[in-house]
Amino acid sequence: TQLLEQSPQFLSIQEGENLTVYCNSSSVFSSLQWYRQEPGEGPVLLVTVVTGGEVKKLKRLTFQFGDARKDSSLHITAAQPGDTGLYLCAGVNNAGNMLTFGGGTRLMVKP
Amino acid sequence: DVKVTQSSRYLVKRTGEKVFLECVQDMDHENMFWYRQDPGLGLRLIYFSYDVKMKEKGDIPEGYSVSREKKERFSLILESASTNQTSMYLCASSPRATRAYFGPGTRLTVL
């Protein structure tokens, strides 16, 4: 089983602060995805990173895939209360038919 | 828009009951997944299916079975529900593991 560890598990910050969430594994993934889940809903895909070293930006969110394709990070600049939610990373196996999820980071942004 | 629906948002059952959770997707996706989500443990894969009548065990299949008689429908069965199966159950579908489309989840309580 390929394992993904996310850190921190919980993060509570003030509006306007920056933060970084990490997703680490000892396994190599063909690609890595980041999802956000709001209460009472299923996770929704934010981004997929495919190439080692790849950086993708989605407004104030910056996603990076490690050079070795084993880890990833999500950086949020000037966090807003609307960013509150559970952030999940998920690795795609080499066969391309299975997603393995990390434990998630629960983010709360206080106004 | 892809739609993944789950038969119930909330379900309360008694220990020993047989429980059926239904999931339907409307986008002709090959892959369908059942996850359970528990605080601090993230999403753990129970079973997945990559075609009609095909199924593969995930990380935690014990106590569960699945059925996929039609491409659009993937059912999770708890043969004899136990209190440790109280959880949020999430169904997802994907054309491949390029991205997962999740249903809203079923919160199951076993008394």
Side-chain angles (χ1 to χ4, degrees), chain A residues 33 35 37 40 86 92 95-96 99, chain B residues 9 35 37 59 96-98 100:
Chain A
Q33 302 173 358
Y35 291 78
Q37 184 180 18
L86 178 67
V92 180
L99 284 172
Chain B
R9 293 298 296 265
Y35 293 89
Q37 184 175 30
D59 298 321
R96 277 179 65 79
T98 50

Side-chain angles (χ1 to χ4, degrees), chain A residues 1 9 31 33 35 37 40-45 48 86 88 92-104 106, chain B residues 9 31 33 35 37-38 40-45 48 50 57 59 88 90 96-105:
Chain A
T1 304
Q9 282 193 343
S31 63
Q33 302 173 358
Y35 291 78
Q37 184 180 18
E41 301 296 329
V44 175
L45 181 70
T48 301
L86 178 67
L88 295 154
V92 180
N93 67 349
N94 288 332
N97 63 359
M98 193 187 307
L99 284 172
T100 300
F101 281 84
R106 190 165 296 281
Chain B
R9 293 298 296 265
N31 294 339
F33 308 84
Y35 293 89
Q37 184 175 30
D38 301 287
L41 296 177
L43 274 69
R44 291 181 292 167
L45 182 64
F48 70 100
Y50 52 87
K57 292 180 180 179
D59 298 321
M88 170 71 86
L90 287 161
R96 277 179 65 79
T98 50
R99 68 167 292 174
Y101 296 83
F102 282 89

Side-chain angles (χ1 to χ4, degrees), chain A residues 67-108:
Chain A
D67 291 340
R69 289 187 289 126
K70 292 182 179 181
D71 53 84
S72 181
S73 64
L74 157 60
H75 182 79
I76 301 179
T77 304
Q80 299 177 0
D83 296 327
T84 292
L86 178 67
Y87 289 82
L88 295 154
C89 65
V92 180
N93 67 349
N94 288 332
N97 63 359
M98 193 187 307
L99 284 172
T100 300
F101 281 84
T105 294
R106 190 165 296 281
L107 171 65
M108 176 174 290

Side-chain angles (χ1 to χ4, degrees), chain B residues 59-73:
Chain B
D59 298 321
I60 51 165
E62 296 78 19
Y64 304 94
S65 61
V66 290
S67 172
R68 192 157 181 211
E69 296 297 318
K70 294 184 178 180
K71 193 173 187 179
E72 67 270 19
R73 190 179 297 269

Side-chain angles (χ1 to χ4, degrees), chain A residues 16-37:
Chain A
E17 290 185 30
N18 301 333
L19 67 116
T20 303
V21 173
Y22 299 94
C23 174
N24 295 302
S25 176
S26 58
S27 303
V28 175
F29 293 98
S30 64
S31 63
L32 200 133
Q33 302 173 358
W34 284 92
Y35 291 78
R36 186 170 80 192
Q37 184 180 18

Side-chain angles (χ1 to χ4, degrees), chain B residues 81-94:
Chain B
S82 62
T83 54
N84 62 13
Q85 292 178 309
T86 291
S87 186
M88 170 71 86
Y89 290 88
L90 287 161
C91 172
S93 74
S94 72

Side-chain angles (χ1 to χ4, degrees), chain B residues 74-86:
Chain B
F74 193 33
S75 301
L76 180 69
I77 303 150
L78 288 65
E79 293 289 341
S80 177
S82 62
T83 54
N84 62 13
Q85 292 178 309
T86 291

